[in-house]
Amino acid sequence: MISLRQLQNRNILLGVTGGIAAYKSAELVRQLCQAGATVRVVMTEAAQQFIAPLTFQALSGNPVSTTLLDPQAEAGMGHIELARWADLVLVAPATADFIARHAAGRADDLLSAICRATAAPQLIAPAMNQQMWRNPATQENVARLQQQGVMLSGPESGSQACGEVGPGRMVEPAQLVEQVAAQFQSGLLQGVRVLITAGPTREPIDPVRFLSNRSSGKMGFAIAQAAVEAGAEVTLVAGPVALETPDHLRRIDVESGQEMAEVVVQEVAETALFIATAAVADYRPLEVAAEKIKKGSDERVLRLIRNRDILAEVAARPSPPYTVGFAAETEKLREYAQQKLVDKKVDMIAANRVGEAGTGFDADDNALILFWADGERSLQRKSKRQLARELMAEIAQQISKR
Ligand code: CTP
């Protein structure tokens, strides 16, 4: 059974070429978007004879790209950006001519150029007259594309728009959506229960004041999302963050480190994997004033007391889940991270350097070095979303070794 939830937040580049089946691609865009994918449509010139770009723009909510050498388009999302942006390139319908051009390695229109420039998987859904499909040249081109790793969906047999009967009908949108979703179904953590903490905590001083930190929760949320994509059953315990809840997981909101610790203790029993991304305050005010503290003398002392170390507590349980901790360091990254691995007795530490522009707290990018008892791996700087997927893959591999 394919779960469409794998499509959540995936970037799908849909190429539409000039065949009568192009009208079905409108429904395809609708279904992909409904499943949570972000869709950008690229149309060939011939496709625009069958259906207007405006239809796809309205359905996808994104501009439609049609030309390779349009200075305006290239200044925004040009062919290279589109090729990089795509998590998967789907061409539906794919005409005999497009297949021939693709197989020949052409790059003289936008869609062919993207097919050349992308590293993303490609899935094509041919649609054409049955004789054109059976034609040896077409068959050779299809075989060549398949050899290059391009995936094929269909065509199906049946009555055709041209009045003939035979193979050449485009696969129905619902089935194509499932096939696209299947591409993202890693199943690495299928059915595994995962508990994740994320965001900062707020340690109250009085009813209106608190101590907190700069954590945005973005990395933790990206990891939660990646765990969902890997098939896990995810519970996300979040401090105060301004982030939308990813689909298909359970989110529990907390404020203070103590609240977070209590929720984690309640939830951890059945958990196979615990990932602590939260920036839990190490200390909280010893006393919380019942009323707002009024100003007084020039100096004031705030007495702090240590908060429970949630990660260390989980790792110290009699039969702990696989535990992953985070370490944000400004210096001696390796030394401190490896120290944490030992001190807290966790299975993996994901360490990142903070204070570098564009990465770390509140940034969209990050880079990590993963340390475990007898190994390490560097994950280069990239979007937190992409990084989270790589992290989940490594965690799944480490768990499978146990
Ligand atoms: N952590 C936790 N509970 C706490 C404190 C930290 O679960 N009360 C977890 C964090 O989620 C993170 C890791 O422990 O996974 C961070 O370790 P920690 O030693 O607290 O990091 P720093 O506070 O940055 O370390 P230090 O004070 O030693 O610089």
Side-chain angles (χ1 to χ4, degrees):
M1 173 71 187
I2 305 293
S3 162
L4 295 190
R5 73 185 198 180
Q6 316 293 343
L7 283 170
Q8 195 69 32
N9 287 330
R10 297 293 181 174
N11 293 341
I12 309 298
L13 189 139
L14 174 65
V16 181
T17 70
I20 181 61
Y23 79 92
K24 289 189 186 175
S25 305
E27 176 61 16
L28 181 57
V29 172
R30 205 185 61 79
Q31 291 191 21
L32 286 168
C33 291
Q34 218 165 30
T38 306
V39 180
R40 280 182 178 267
V41 177
V42 172
M43 301 178 78
T44 61
E45 217 169 287
Q48 295 166 63
Q49 306 294 319
F50 289 90
I51 183 165
L54 196 58
T55 305
F56 290 118
Q57 184 181 311
L59 287 169
S60 67
N62 281 315
V64 172
S65 309
T66 53
T67 45
L68 178 58
L69 299 174
D70 173 353
Q72 226 179 349
E74 288 289 305
M77 266 246 182
H79 65 289
I80 299 296
E81 279 79 13
L82 285 166
R84 283 196 193 128
W85 171 86
D87 292 324
L88 182 138
V89 174
L90 169 65
V91 183
T95 60
D97 181 60
F98 168 77
I99 289 170
R101 296 157 49 73
H102 191 343
R106 299 286 288 260
D108 53 356
D109 72 358
L110 181 60
L111 185 56
S112 321
I114 289 169
C115 288
R116 298 277 77 71
T118 193
Q122 299 182 32
L123 175 67
I124 62 170
M128 65 196 73
N129 164 275
Q130 52 99 14
Q131 278 303 338
M132 289 176 81
W133 173 252
R134 288 190 168 117
N135 182 281
T138 304
Q139 288 302 310
E140 258 176 49
N141 290 332
V142 168
R144 184 175 305 169
L145 285 180
Q146 284 183 298
Q147 272 165 20
Q148 292 167 14
V150 174
M151 293 170 288
L152 193 71
S153 174
E156 285 177 347
S157 279
S159 61
Q160 301 200 291
C162 53
E164 294 178 18
V165 177
R169 286 166 56 100
M170 187 173 101
V171 168
E172 290 301 322
Q175 204 182 327
L176 280 174
V177 171
E178 281 203 358
Q179 286 169 0
V180 172
Q183 291 307 309
F184 298 112
Q185 194 154 33
S186 70
L188 282 172
L189 295 171
Q190 201 62 45
V192 173
R193 289 185 64 160
V194 179
L195 183 62
I196 299 168
T197 63
T201 62
R202 283 182 184 170
E203 308 303 328
I205 299 170
D206 71 11
V208 297
R209 300 181 179 94
F210 55 77
L211 296 175
S212 192
N213 59 64
R214 290 184 191 281
S215 167
S216 65
K218 282 181 188 168
M219 193 67 224
F221 274 56
I223 288 170
Q225 168 92 47
V228 168
E229 287 168 11
E233 299 296 327
V234 180
T235 301
L236 176 61
V237 185
V241 292
L243 295 173
E244 272 184 44
T245 312
D247 281 348
H248 311 292
L249 59 72
R250 196 157 67 93
R251 170 173 169 177
I252 304 172
D253 284 320
V254 296
E255 289 252 335
S256 67
Q258 277 176 296
E259 271 173 49
M260 188 174 272
E262 280 160 24
V263 170
V264 167
V265 167
Q266 278 164 23
E267 296 289 329
V268 78
E270 304 291 311
T271 297
L273 168 59
F274 177 66
I275 308 176
T277 72
V280 185
D282 290 325
Y283 295 90
R284 66 175 185 277
L286 180 61
E287 282 156 6
V288 182
E291 304 297 337
K292 186 183 161 200
I293 300 171
K294 305 300 282 179
K295 47 180 164 306
S297 56
D298 282 355
E299 275 186 29
R300 230 193 153 104
V301 175
L302 188 62
R303 288 191 66 200
L304 303 175
I305 185 167
R306 279 292 291 270
N307 255 340
R308 287 162 68 177
D309 189 319
I310 304 171
L311 177 60
E313 272 186 37
V314 169
R317 289 173 67 86
S319 50
Y322 188 88
T323 46
V324 180
F326 270 70
E329 306 291 353
T330 55
E331 55 165 358
K332 299 186 192 160
L333 185 75
R334 173 183 307 268
E335 192 185 318
Y336 286 154
Q338 281 174 333
Q339 193 60 45
K340 257 170 216 171
L341 197 65
V342 177
D343 289 349
K344 299 202 185 194
K345 299 189 175 61
V346 296
D347 296 298
M348 183 188 284
I349 286 285
N352 69 304
R353 206 175 282 284
V354 284
E356 278 176 14
T359 65
F361 281 150
D362 204 29
D364 292 317
D365 280 8
N366 209 355
L368 291 173
I369 307 182
L370 313 181
F371 297 93
W372 53 95
D374 55 356
E376 65 176 75
R377 185 178 156 205
S378 221
L379 305 181
Q380 299 302 316
R381 176 177 172 174
K382 49 181 73 72
S383 73
K384 286 184 175 173
R385 197 170 69 117
Q386 213 38 53
L387 197 67
R389 287 180 191 150
E390 289 182 18
L391 172 65
M392 285 323 298
E394 187 58 55
I395 291 173
Q397 193 168 1
Q398 294 300 324
I399 290 178
S400 73
K401 281 194 209 158
R402 296 223 293 183

